[in-house]
Amino acid sequence: MVKPISVLLVDDEVDLLDFLSKRLARRGFLVQTANNGRQALAAISASKPDVVILDMLMPGGMDGLATLGEIRRLFPHLEVVLLTAHASTEAALRGMELGAYDYMVKPVAIGELVLKIEEASGARGPMTSGTRTGNRYDA
Amino acid sequence: MATFWNRLSRLIGLSSPEEDEALERALRLDFRRRCALFRQLVNSNNRALEVMSDMEEMLRGGKPFGLPQVRGMCAQATANVFKMIRCLEGMTDGRYNALYDRLRAVQQEIGRHVEGGRDPVPGPLVLGLDAIGAADAGEVGPKMANLGELGRIGLDVPSGFVITASGFRRFFEHASLSAEIEGIIRDRQVDRLDARYALSSTIQELIVAAPLPDDLVQAIEAQCQALAETYGDEVRLAVRSSALGEDLPDASFAGQYRTELGVRLDQVTRSYKEVVASKYGVAAMTYRWNRGIPDEGMAVCVGCLPMVDASSGGVVYTRDPVHPSDRRLVIHAVPGLPTAVVDGNVQADRYLVSRDEPMRIEESHVPRKQTMAQLDAMEGVVHVPLQDSEAEAPALAPQVIIDLAEKTLAVERHFGQPQDVEWVVDRQGTLIFLQARPMTGHMPVVPEPQDDPGLPLLLEGGEPASPGAACGPVFVVRKNADAFSFPEGAVLVAAQALPRWAPLLPRASAVVAETGSAAGHLANVAREFDVPAVFGLENAVSVLDGNQMITVDGTHGRIFSGCAEELLASQAGKGPDFMLGSPVMNTLTSVARHIVPLTLLDPESPDFRPDFCRTLHDITRFCHEKSVGELFAADSGPVRKRLAKQLRYNGRPLKYWLIDLGNGFTNPPQDRYIDFENIASRPLHVLWEGMTAQEWGGPPVLDVKGFASIINQAASNRDIEPAMASSFEVKNYFMITDTFLSLQSRFGFHFCTLEALIGDVTDENYASFRFKGGAADLDRRILRAELVADLLEEHGFRTELRQDALLARAEALPRVELEEKLRILGFVMIHTKQLDMVMKNRDMAIVYEQRLRRDLASMIAKSRQ
């Protein structure tokens, strides 16, 4: 039995969270949700998900990029995919520079999101297992 | 810190078998890591190239798209290019990190076009109409600026004030509306009409519920107070939009925004929000979408004008919009307020007036008018029935018609182009102008349909509202919900020519309505979209409903049964392409310059360096080239020497190299060859069965040319396309495990990828195949890609085509089924090689396609036995 990939979805839009988590659960993912950056950090500490899908625009002082910065600082090996309704090349670049695995624009096709999660978790194909950049292996 | 390779180099030279084995293990581990990065890099490369292909397709026009979509594509391309650089960094120990700076520089160029647009310096929140002239269009919108200008040249206009673009921005900023609305729109599929209906009400409710800032409320109240002092507390206002951008060339925006009539002074702020919200009405959103006009930057300025108690009103065109060669002025008039003319819900008088002095009325059409719109002190605007004598009487006296024509001609002279002018005559007989806008651009030039198409005439005598002829099945619309089921290419038939049907026009072949005139909003939009229209056609709904196919002659106001081929043949081909030259298209053109072109052509040139990357395409090209070099180049030392084993088939070496990533070989090879029998990779065996199932009838197959040439043999001819040049010797490397196969094969810029995982877990199984390019010209390459896509789809693959790039996938299938898919891929790869070269001849292409289909079927049948 293959261990399911666990995903943490972080978005302040409850409807979207509900929609995405149902779809992902149906595809066999283990899904958790959080409504803001603080909740996300707590959820990561508690359950160590494989991948985080993080909305960029969230209220409450800690937006997606700030949350991303914290995740990278506290959990450097955790892959984070940014999801945004407000696409901009500037934000895309800043997010990637901060260490996001990828950057996706809403509305996102569920198939595309699934592929991305699998890719980020290293699940697709034996060549990808656990590898992201050279840094981890050069140590 | 010593790098991995430094550490490895210390190992090189050791020769004991154990040390040798340790080195090989370490090499394999590192190679696996590089493969994984390469694979990610290729994925990101594919995604970035897909965005570029999509952009190229959009640049050709014909399909509407919005600014958020352009912005999304730019951001995706940027993120994918970043990922490529990051992967290359991991593969080359940061040798090309200068690429990050190049990406940042290119991103800033892109961002300047697509993310710039800082708001202009704030101006006054409201302006009195008497202080406004044509030069103030940026603050009050073209409609109100023109009205102010009419006052300045001595014509009578209402007094009143305008809530400015600065007022609009102040409101949106105060209520944080811009970001929220963009988010809502981005979440949905704006390209679908039903989604637009849902979006529209959500956004409009949001705007109406949002609070106005205090300073704006105070400014509005001060203006209202001044009006009350002049006209009394009971004065009623017309609150109407004057949106920025309404003066775009060729875009009329007719009837797209709401006008509130009969508004009391204490209701102005509420009505203001309603009019502003109508920016997101379905008609307006659809219109902008189809015309490539961005939502943002389009501030809605709102004019608040005391209403005139009108005895009559209407619209003058200083040129006939349906017959542009006719130089006469066309006046549409109704008793009471002119709203009935523009809304299209009644019939109007039509007078044609000569242009030359002395001006005279050359034609009068006076239909029976059922109702008129009137201002009521209590109710606002009401429609009252007309007595028989009033219903039959002309709305204007002859001397008023001439006075109106003369003054309107003066307006045309002042602005220097034909005008579309709205006016009223008040109870004292004063002619007051409400609006003037240029009509240039929405006067389509279409050939006159011939007189007698030889078909049964169903209806005639309607008012020609938009010229030309078209045929289609009848579709009667009665309620909003009918819009969802409106079929593409149907003739829209409605009781009234209401502006709310405008969103359907891009899908309609023609429009017919029982009321309305050429002066209504719907007629304006029909002319803009080159959709023939006949209005004011009594009994049209009952006569036409149930007809299968009709022809609408919008030039002569007639309807025929059936499809009048002769009539249509005289028509210009396709309608105008609104995207070309639109603001959104211009933005895409500007950003595409920094994304799509490939300027870094020759990898052997000394200029093939990060600092010479000028576009995102250049960076992807550079990353791909260097990553391939890193993995597969002839001089990539340890990999080639140690890991890659040349395939030997029946004792004969072939030009394929295999790299074992784990359990791919049954016995470790003793020399530089691996015999086919020693391959343990199930996917490779199955693929091979497909490849060798049948001799290729054309050029040699499975020869020493190599696997990449299967896809693209002629690509090695550098004269064909300079972008194909590559500094690397072409090798075909399979990376395998017992259950996995990956083939990365490339010629210069073109490459193909095949990957398959076939194991016991059905959900994880997949086969994917991707290729792009070829040696022939683009048309032939596209034909070949389409043929391959057809073949694969017939066999259960999911395919995506973008020009000559094909992606085919099959997944989550049980082992046996997926093996068959892989066999099919092997067969198709071999037997479609060089096919682009023969695609010049369609007949030949059909012969090939049939033969391939037949051979493939027989291969499958054999393998199933």
Side-chain angles (χ1 to χ4, degrees):
Chain A
M1 183 71 193
V2 188
K3 184 175 164 279
I5 301 169
S6 59
V7 186
L8 173 67
L9 299 174
V10 192
D11 203 309
D12 59 315
E13 281 183 57
V14 183
D15 290 349
L16 185 75
L17 276 186
D18 190 46
F19 171 80
L20 284 182
S21 45
K22 277 184 188 145
R23 293 295 185 88
L24 290 176
R26 212 177 295 158
R27 302 263 189 141
F29 293 95
L30 213 61
V31 188
Q32 282 186 89
T33 60
N35 297 127
N36 57 50
R38 266 170 246 296
Q39 271 186 23
L41 291 172
I44 295 168
S45 298
S47 64
K48 307 269 183 302
D50 296 314
V51 180
V52 178
I53 307 293
L54 180 61
D55 183 35
M56 288 189 83
L57 198 76
M58 289 186 300
M62 197 171 176
D63 68 0
L65 286 181
T67 310
L68 172 65
E70 277 303 284
I71 295 176
R72 301 302 304 164
R73 194 174 66 80
L74 298 168
F75 313 97
H77 294 335
L78 179 57
E79 299 293 12
V80 179
V81 176
L82 291 170
L83 188 60
T84 184
H86 306 269
S88 93
T89 55
E90 174 63 34
L93 206 48
R94 270 174 52 211
M96 296 300 285
E97 282 167 354
L98 273 173
Y101 177 78
D102 217 321
Y103 175 93
M104 300 182 84
V105 178
K106 292 180 191 173
V108 63
I110 198 79
E112 227 173 282
L113 187 63
V114 165
L115 273 180
K116 197 76 78 180
I117 294 170
E118 289 177 343
E119 212 182 278
S121 69
R124 196 153 270 275
M127 274 165 54
T128 50
S129 47
T131 306
R132 192 173 128 217
T133 67
N135 301 339
R136 259 191 235 179
Y137 295 83
D138 281 347
Chain B
M1 189 181 73
T3 66
F4 183 85
W5 286 112
N6 291 145
R7 296 198 299 277
L8 276 180
S9 66
R10 286 203 302 273
L11 291 171
I12 293 171
L14 302 178
S15 55
S16 81
E18 295 76 25
E19 285 159 342
D20 228 22
E21 204 185 316
L23 172 62
E24 199 152 300
R25 247 199 331 269
L27 274 173
R28 199 181 321 278
L29 198 66
D30 188 64
F31 188 72
R32 248 180 104 125
R33 180 187 69 85
R34 280 161 201 264
C35 284
L37 288 170
F38 178 69
R39 189 162 174 270
Q40 273 189 38
L41 185 147
V42 169
N43 281 344
S44 298
N45 186 45
N46 289 338
R47 291 197 183 104
L49 293 183
E50 278 166 16
V51 172
M52 291 174 204
S53 296
D54 287 347
M55 279 188 171
E56 282 179 308
E57 214 161 301
M58 285 153 72
L59 283 168
R60 280 203 291 275
K63 231 173 154 185
F65 54 88
L67 197 54
Q69 200 178 342
V70 176
R71 213 171 265 157
M73 294 170 85
C74 292
Q76 300 256 251
T78 305
N80 278 303
V81 172
F82 184 95
K83 237 175 129 178
M84 290 183 76
I85 301 175
R86 187 165 65 192
C87 291
L88 189 64
E89 178 186 1
M91 292 177 75
T92 62
D93 296 325
R95 207 179 312 147
Y96 304 110
N97 280 4
L99 286 169
Y100 286 118
D101 296 334
R102 283 313 305 150
L103 175 60
R104 179 48 86 177
V106 176
Q107 177 271 322
Q108 275 167 359
E109 286 295 322
I110 298 168
R112 205 163 53 81
H113 295 291
V114 82
E115 285 145 29
R118 215 176 300 140
D119 282 346
V121 183
L125 303 180
V126 296
L127 273 173
L129 200 61
D130 51 6
I132 290 169
D136 298 308
E139 201 49 270
V140 301
K143 218 189 271 177
M144 289 299 140
N146 285 356
L147 193 58
E149 188 71 15
L150 293 185
R152 288 186 177 182
I153 62 170
L155 295 170
D156 285 312
V157 296
S159 49
F161 64 94
V162 182
I163 306 167
T164 62
S166 294
F168 173 89
R169 292 189 198 105
R170 177 85 185 88
F171 171 35
F172 266 48
E173 180 195 286
H174 175 74
S176 308
L177 284 169
S178 299
E180 199 161 345
I181 290 169
E182 198 191 318
I184 294 172
I185 292 176
R186 199 65 189 81
D187 269 350
R188 322 269 181 97
Q189 291 192 305
V190 198
D191 52 339
R192 290 181 39 186
L193 188 62
D194 51 352
R196 246 176 269 146
Y197 271 91
L199 262 184
S200 168
S201 57
T202 309
I203 299 175
Q204 293 199 64
E205 280 166 22
L206 189 72
I207 293 173
V208 173
L212 289 173
D214 289 343
D215 49 353
L216 182 57
V217 173
Q218 284 158 13
I220 293 170
E221 281 173 353
Q223 291 285 342
C224 288
Q225 183 58 36
L227 288 179
E229 281 161 18
T230 312
Y231 298 95
D233 289 341
E234 291 308 308
V235 64
R236 297 301 185 107
L237 304 185
V239 178
R240 49 169 63 192
S241 74
S242 175
L244 292 193
E246 272 187 297
D247 52 347
L248 284 168
D250 304 341
S252 72
F253 279 89
Q256 306 303 311
Y257 303 118
R258 193 190 319 238
T259 293
E260 298 257 309
L261 297 177
V263 177
R264 291 201 315 262
L265 290 176
D266 59 351
Q267 296 170 326
V268 169
T269 49
R270 164 95 196 169
S271 293
Y272 168 66
K273 287 197 280 186
E274 297 273 359
V275 173
V276 165
S278 73
K279 176 182 170 183
Y280 294 96
V282 175
M285 284 172 68
T286 307
Y287 182 84
R288 288 195 297 270
W289 173 255
N290 281 309
R291 300 291 316 257
I293 296 163
D295 281 341
E296 54 202 77
M298 182 164 256
V300 180
C301 317
V302 175
C304 303
L305 316 172
M307 285 192 71
V308 178
D309 187 10
S311 65
S312 57
V315 169
V316 187
Y317 290 121
T318 61
R319 286 291 174 96
D320 187 334
V322 183
H323 304 97
S325 55
D326 191 331
R327 297 179 68 247
R328 294 179 294 185
L329 285 79
V330 185
I331 298 174
H332 286 87
V334 288
L337 293 165
T339 168
V341 174
V342 291
D343 289 347
N345 51 5
V346 297
Q347 303 235 44
D349 291 358
R350 185 159 54 104
Y351 309 103
L352 297 171
V353 182
S354 69
R355 171 174 290 265
D356 305 317
E357 298 284 344
M359 295 179 90
R360 60 174 200 284
I361 303 164
E362 295 191 343
E363 281 182 44
S364 295
H365 303 268
V366 182
R368 185 182 164 80
K369 297 163 282 284
Q370 308 287 352
T371 60
M372 69 181 229
Q374 232 177 18
L375 188 59
D376 179 89
M378 299 303 291
E379 304 282 323
V381 175
V382 291
H383 292 269
V384 295
L386 290 168
Q387 303 298 322
D388 273 356
S389 57
E390 294 170 311
E392 306 283 352
L396 290 179
Q399 69 275 19
V400 180
I401 295 173
I402 297 299
D403 181 38
L404 175 61
E406 282 173 353
K407 284 179 173 157
T408 310
L409 211 51
V411 175
E412 183 191 273
R413 278 196 295 272
H414 180 73
F415 287 115
Q417 52 185 324
Q419 296 290 305
D420 162 355
V421 170
E422 197 177 323
W423 53 272
V424 290
V425 176
D426 70 9
R427 297 282 174 200
Q428 289 71 45
T430 309
L431 174 60
I432 298 170
F433 287 89
L434 300 180
Q435 181 179 307
R437 61 182 175 204
M439 59 183 296
T440 319
H442 45 112
M443 291 195 299
V445 179
V446 295
E448 292 249 322
Q450 65 190 64
D451 276 350
D452 180 16
L455 282 174
L457 184 67
L458 288 173
L459 287 164
E460 64 179 334
E463 178 166 338
S466 176
C471 82
V474 170
F475 190 93
V476 178
V477 289
R478 294 187 170 88
K479 49 191 189 304
N480 276 346
D482 292 336
F484 300 134
S485 45
F486 187 86
E488 183 88 32
V491 175
L492 189 155
V493 178
Q496 296 186 318
L498 302 177
R500 74 167 191 228
W501 303 125
L504 295 177
L505 292 194
R507 283 154 63 196
S509 62
V511 198
V512 179
E514 293 183 354
T515 65
S517 69
H521 291 321
L522 192 65
N524 256 306
V525 180
R527 289 194 292 273
E528 217 170 312
F529 283 86
D530 260 0
V531 177
V534 179
F535 291 165
L537 205 50
E538 281 179 31
N539 303 322
V541 173
S542 55
V543 172
L544 298 180
D545 200 4
N547 269 271
Q548 293 296 313
M549 189 63 80
I550 59 168
T551 298
V552 177
D553 174 357
T555 306
H556 301 107
R558 308 174 297 181
I559 315 289
F560 298 95
S561 172
C563 199
E565 299 293 345
E566 298 82 5
L567 205 72
L568 304 173
S570 64
Q571 299 299 298
K574 273 174 42 184
D577 186 342
F578 291 117
M579 291 311 289
L580 297 177
S582 72
V584 172
M585 181 65 94
N586 291 343
T587 304
L588 178 66
T589 309
S590 305
V591 292
R593 272 188 218 120
H594 304 286
I595 298 176
V596 178
L598 182 64
T599 70
L600 209 61
L601 296 175
D602 182 4
E604 289 176 51
S605 152
D607 294 346
F608 200 83
R609 301 201 314 252
D611 48 330
F612 279 85
C613 290
R614 289 204 285 268
T615 64
L616 293 190
H617 201 162
D618 286 345
I619 301 178
T620 63
R621 167 79 166 110
F622 186 89
C623 289
H624 195 270
E625 180 75 20
K626 292 302 178 195
S627 62
V628 169
E630 191 62 25
L631 275 195
F632 306 125
D635 59 355
S636 58
V639 170
R640 186 174 156 88
K641 281 195 191 123
R642 293 271 178 178
L643 297 184
K645 304 295 177 192
Q646 193 171 4
L647 177 64
R648 204 159 45 191
Y649 191 68
N650 291 337
R652 179 178 156 223
L654 301 178
K655 286 262 176 184
Y656 303 105
W657 278 260
L658 275 67
I659 296 171
D660 176 24
L661 298 177
N663 307 324
F665 300 151
T666 40
N667 297 308
Q670 297 308 307
D671 53 15
R672 64 194 185 93
Y673 296 107
I674 176 79
D675 286 308
F676 191 79
E677 307 77 71
N678 270 339
I679 296 172
S681 175
R682 180 69 187 152
L684 182 56
H685 275 277
V686 176
L687 184 77
W688 196 260
E689 282 169 29
M691 288 162 62
T692 54
Q694 187 185 321
E695 276 294 308
W696 166 231
V701 67
L702 281 185
D703 55 15
V704 290
K705 284 282 187 187
F707 202 161
S709 63
I710 287 160
I711 301 306
N712 194 346
Q713 190 161 316
S716 56
N717 178 356
R718 293 185 181 192
D719 297 334
I720 298 172
E721 187 175 320
M724 285 181 184
S726 175
S727 59
F728 299 115
E729 184 191 344
V730 175
K731 294 284 183 215
N732 306 292
Y733 286 89
F734 286 104
M735 284 159 276
I736 53 171
T737 73
D738 48 350
T739 57
F740 177 76
L741 153 76
S742 170
L743 165 74
Q744 310 278 352
S745 168
R746 80 188 292 280
F747 265 108
F749 177 61
H750 296 253
F751 56 95
C752 105
T753 317
L754 189 147
E755 255 184 41
L757 176 67
I758 305 184
D760 293 327
V761 184
T762 298
D763 274 356
E764 289 190 346
N765 286 345
Y766 70 95
S768 79
F769 173 60
R770 186 188 288 266
F771 81 81
K772 175 174 167 56
D777 59 35
L778 181 65
D779 287 346
R780 288 189 226 173
R781 298 203 308 262
I782 291 175
L783 275 176
R784 192 241 324 242
E786 286 172 353
L787 185 149
V788 176
D790 283 352
L791 283 175
L792 292 178
E793 262 179 27
E794 285 167 19
H795 291 285
F797 283 85
R798 191 160 51 77
T799 67
E800 272 176 48
L801 258 182
R802 282 184 169 83
Q803 302 206 62
D804 63 338
L806 168 72
L807 166 66
R809 283 189 72 87
E811 56 206 330
L813 293 172
R815 177 201 291 266
V816 176
E817 285 178 45
L818 203 69
E819 284 182 354
E820 182 166 296
K821 297 279 185 278
L822 200 52
R823 238 173 250 122
I824 291 168
L825 283 181
F827 182 93
V828 166
M829 279 197 305
I830 293 294
H831 294 273
T832 58
K833 73 173 189 167
Q834 287 193 342
L835 215 54
D836 55 326
M837 300 305 279
V838 299
M839 283 295 179
K840 62 184 166 187
N841 181 335
R842 269 202 176 266
D843 293 341
M844 247 343 235
I846 291 168
V847 171
Y848 274 107
E849 187 170 346
Q850 286 167 347
R851 193 165 80 189
L852 276 169
R853 189 167 284 125
R854 201 179 52 233
D855 292 350
L856 187 55
S858 99
M859 189 238 359
I860 293 169
K862 263 188 221 157
S863 71
R864 282 180 184 170
Q865 281 166 8

